[in-house]
Amino acid sequence: SQQGEEDPQALSIQEGENATMNCSYKTSINNLQWYRQNSGRGLVHLILIRSNEREKHSGRLRVTLDTSKKSSSLLITASRAADTASYFCATEPDRGSTLGRLYFGRGTQLTVWP
Amino acid sequence: DSGVTQTPKHLITATGQRVTLRCSPRSGDLSVYWYQQSLDQGLQFLIQYYNGEERAKGNILERFSAQQFPDLHSELNLSSLELGDSALYFCASSVYPRGPGMDEQFFGPGTRLTVL
């Protein structure tokens, strides 16, 4: 399977703490994207990191990518109760026939307690 | 709000029936993607259209079909519905072929299909 795999499956922290989620994948990629989903609702695009990038920041989000290990991490700093959601990584393979489509992992369920 | 719209939000129907899900991409996006999210399979890519043409196919059943119209909106048709087709169906759009900073896929709110 080309799907990403997130780790851990579930993460429970207190407000103010940092949350780190990891994603591993199997094939070479063009980019890796992180999404958030609140309770079975729509997917919100968080950040995209290209295969030639190693780190990217957006507000309280920090994403790293290690293509040699085929892994990525998403760090949410100073978490808030509103960050409670499922977080998915999605990879876009770099092969011609699969360009454009995204392969999703199963997600990490993050719960942030007030 | 991603700018991608999907209708209807919810659909409840019976086995054997046929339904049509509709998607309007973000303004300027030529590519539309359909994904299915179920408890069993997670989020799976179904099919991609680019400027009216089918571009790529994923795990889409033969009972399912899609099309993209000249105004770029897309429809996903699901026929001979089975209980296992109950899922959340997402449409996403992007500017494709890509240019610098244009790789992101933006998702609509989804259509929740329940087959009874």
Side-chain angles (χ1 to χ4, degrees):
Chain A
S1 167
Q2 293 168 306
Q3 288 179 331
E5 294 289 337
E6 290 93 343
D7 173 64
Q9 286 188 354
L11 181 60
S12 188
I13 59 174
Q14 295 287 133
E15 262 191 334
E17 293 181 342
N18 295 340
T20 299
M21 288 158 267
N22 302 297
C23 170
S24 60
Y25 56 92
K26 295 184 180 179
T27 63
S28 57
I29 60 172
N30 263 336
N31 65 65
L32 185 145
Q33 304 183 44
W34 285 92
Y35 288 84
R36 184 185 76 226
Q37 184 179 35
N38 288 80
S39 222
R41 295 171 72 178
L43 288 157
V44 175
H45 189 275
L46 295 177
I47 199 165
L48 177 151
I49 186 165
R50 291 202 173 88
S51 59
N52 60 355
E53 297 175 313
R54 291 296 165 257
E55 188 170 315
K56 213 163 176 181
H57 297 256
S58 176
R60 294 184 294 114
L61 306 180
R62 173 179 168 252
V63 169
T64 62
L65 179 65
D66 186 337
T67 52
S68 66
K69 293 182 180 177
K70 291 188 169 57
S71 67
S72 172
S73 68
L74 171 68
L75 168 68
I76 304 174
T77 59
S79 62
R80 307 164 182 166
D83 295 327
T84 294
S86 291
Y87 290 82
F88 294 89
C89 72
T91 53
E92 182 190 331
D94 68 355
R95 296 178 196 170
S97 64
T98 55
L99 278 176
R101 68 181 73 180
L102 293 178
Y103 290 89
F104 283 83
R106 286 290 192 158
T108 292
Q109 172 60 49
L110 173 66
T111 303
V112 183
W113 298 99
Chain B
D1 184 357
S2 67
V4 179
T5 60
Q6 288 187 249
T7 56
K9 276 189 176 177
H10 301 277
L11 206 43
I12 301 174
T13 188
T15 54
Q17 295 298 306
R18 173 190 167 93
V19 296
T20 297
L21 313 183
R22 184 190 166 100
C23 166
S24 292
R26 292 187 319 157
S27 177
D29 285 357
L30 298 179
S31 217
V32 167
Y33 311 78
W34 285 97
Y35 292 85
Q36 178 195 59
Q37 185 178 33
S38 65
L39 287 174
D40 293 347
Q41 303 292 330
L43 265 158
Q44 286 202 100
F45 168 78
L46 295 178
I47 197 163
Q48 177 197 0
Y49 277 81
Y50 168 69
N51 206 18
E53 304 269 336
E54 184 185 300
R55 177 72 178 81
K57 246 180 177 176
N59 298 329
I60 187 166
L61 300 171
E62 282 192 16
R63 300 182 285 109
F64 296 0
S65 65
Q67 53 184 327
Q68 186 179 27
F69 295 87
D71 67 352
L72 300 178
H73 91 271
S74 178
E75 292 181 357
L76 179 67
N77 301 296
L78 315 177
S79 61
S80 303
L81 285 167
E82 302 175 359
L83 295 177
D85 297 328
S86 294
L88 200 46
Y89 290 84
F90 287 109
C91 166
S93 75
S94 74
V95 178
Y96 182 91
R98 63 185 61 75
M102 294 179 179
D103 306 65
E104 293 92 342
Q105 286 187 27
F106 294 92
F107 281 69
T111 293
R112 184 170 294 282
L113 173 67
T114 303
V115 182
L116 301 174

